[in-house]
Each structure stands twice: as C-alpha cells, then as structure tokens.
Amino acid sequence: MPDTQTFQSEATGHTHSAADYPVRPINPWKAWQAFQGLVRDKEDTRYVFAFFENVNGRSYTKFYERFTASEYGQSILADREQVGRVLNDRATLESHGPGTFAAAYLDYLDSENLRPEGVFEAHWAQAPKEMAAMRDDWPGLYAVSYMMSLTHDLYHVLSGYSRDPLGEALLLVFTGTQTNGRGPKWLGRLAGLRLRYEIPSWPVGRMMSEAKRNALAATPFYTTDLTALLPLPLEEARARLNVNPPQLYWDTLAAYDGPDPVAVKV
C-alpha cells in the first residue's frame, strides 16, 4: 500500500510530503476581488481558482489526507487516470442504455456543451506552473485534483443540482459540506447571498440548509468510485448513495418565471 503522506517524484527523484505543499496564506481581500470578478464574468473559471487559492489554506491538504485514507483514495493514487478512461469512453457509456446514470451524464454534458476534462483543463490554463509542479513533485495531490475535477459533473447529475447559478451555488455548499473544504463552502455561501440580493423571493437560506442536510445524509462522494455506478439506473445510483432530492431547489426553479439572475455560475 502506498504511503499517503509522501511520494517519490518520477521527474526529480525527490520525496515530498503533502504537508509541505506550498499553499497561499488566507487572504480575504483577494478572495473578495476574485468573487467580484466572477460576478462580472460568471463563465471565467480563473476567478473560481483564484478564490479557492486565497481561502483554502491547509484545508485542501487535510481533505487530501482523509481521501487517501480510503480504499478508493488508494486506488486513485495507484492509477490516477482511471476516472478519465471511464468518462472519456463515450461508446461504453452509451452502451449502458437509456435511463442510466451514464445516459444522464452524457445528456448533461451535451446539453451544456461540456467535455469530461474541461474543468481540469481550465485549472491548467489558470495556473500552468503550479499544476506542472504539483504533477512532478506532489503526484498524489495531482491525482486527487484530477479526480475531483472530472467528477464535478457527476456530482451535478447525482445531486440533482443543475448548472444554473443557483444550482452551482448549492452544489458548492453540498461539496464543501462533504469534503469540509473552505473554498467551496465560502464560495457557495457568497454566491447564495448574491442570488438572495438579486431575487429576494427565493428562500436561498433554506435551500442552502437543504443542500447541507442532503450532503450529510449521503455517502461521501469523494471516497466513492462514482464511475462504478454509471451502468445503473439513475435513481438506483442515487439510492445506493442515499442521495435525497433537492426538492425545495426544484420547486423554486419550477415556480420562477422572472429574468435569469446575473450572479455567479461556476
């Protein structure tokens, strides 16, 4: 079993501890500036990564240590490409048939004009030097970053939160609650507050509470091989993970016929 704390870099031959990974100090002002940039251009994912970098502190490496203590975490460390191989194999995903988790995932990608590795590629575009250093000197952290980026869209499909600004904000709360990640929790809450300001009739606080309850009730996504559930009917996959429907979120969107909100979409 590989050591979850230290890794031998193939490129340099040096051994690095995950605890030694250079993280930025928490900087609320820079995080706020990144959030304001995201409000101005909700499609610019650079601001998402900048926000996370300025609020995460050591919370990401703490999450990493919890992840690598799991059986699934160990499998990702041993083979970081496994998630990508499954999600990029469209022919196999299509073979699972209508009504499956796989079919819902492909429909989600196609309807949003997305690709499985899009989030990860955006992270590389935002910080190529940092990503290259992580790949070469902290391969374990890099493997986890790759896995979390690719499974983000699976989270959308399983949780029931769509890619609209409200759904993205609530999924961040859901994800941050499960991982105890400071970045997604704070960004989700700020986005929710902004949406509440734009559309006062929306019960954003109660929807964020619903997202938190659903996250706590569900099996932790990040320590589960979600790709193994793709052949199952979508509702069976959700049941396996004890995922409750975000009913208040669904009802709120169904009842709303006003203009689309301007706030963040990540």
Side-chain angles (χ1 to χ4, degrees), residues 34-235:
F35 177 73
Q36 291 302 313
L38 193 57
V39 171
R40 291 191 300 271
D41 184 357
K42 59 188 178 184
E43 300 295 341
D44 195 337
T45 55
R46 293 178 302 169
Y47 294 119
V48 179
F49 300 127
F51 183 92
F52 285 2
E53 287 169 356
N54 284 288
V55 302
N56 271 338
R58 287 287 173 192
S59 68
Y60 185 79
T61 51
K62 290 179 180 177
F63 149 75
Y64 164 80
E65 290 167 0
R66 293 193 303 273
F67 170 77
T68 54
S70 69
E71 182 178 349
Y72 179 57
Q74 292 290 329
S75 73
I76 290 295
L77 294 185
D79 178 11
R80 74 183 182 206
E81 302 292 337
Q82 62 178 279
V83 175
R85 284 196 302 274
V86 173
L87 298 185
N88 283 300
D89 184 358
R90 188 174 182 105
T92 298
L93 293 176
E94 290 176 341
S95 73
H96 297 317
T100 61
F101 177 20
Y105 170 66
L106 291 176
D107 181 66
Y108 170 85
L109 292 182
D110 294 344
S111 65
E112 297 289 343
N113 194 29
L114 300 173
R115 293 178 298 103
E117 294 185 330
V119 173
F120 190 67
E121 290 167 355
H123 203 169
W124 262 95
Q126 161 64 13
K129 291 182 180 179
E130 291 84 350
M131 291 296 287
M134 184 188 292
R135 177 197 61 201
D136 296 339
D137 295 331
W138 289 273
L141 289 171
Y142 185 78
V144 177
S145 177
Y146 180 74
M147 182 277 296
M148 289 297 291
S149 295
L150 267 67
T151 56
H152 176 76
D153 293 325
L154 298 180
Y155 279 39
H156 270 291
V157 177
L158 287 169
S159 68
Y161 291 115
S162 301
R163 201 168 172 260
D164 59 282
L166 177 60
E168 289 284 11
L170 295 171
L171 182 61
L172 284 168
V173 173
F174 182 100
T175 304
T177 299
Q178 285 213 329
T179 64
N180 201 30
R182 189 181 295 118
K185 280 196 290 189
W186 285 17
L187 183 55
R189 289 167 181 166
L190 281 175
L193 288 172
R194 173 73 190 197
L195 286 163
R196 180 68 173 80
Y197 169 78
E198 289 190 42
I199 309 175
S201 64
W202 277 3
V204 173
R206 288 197 288 127
M207 286 188 282
M208 286 195 287
S209 295
E210 178 183 62
K212 183 177 179 180
R213 286 195 307 273
N214 287 357
L216 292 173
T219 300
F221 286 9
Y222 71 94
T223 55
T224 304
D225 182 4
L226 301 180
T227 64
L229 304 177
L230 286 163
L232 301 177
L234 176 58
E235 291 309 316

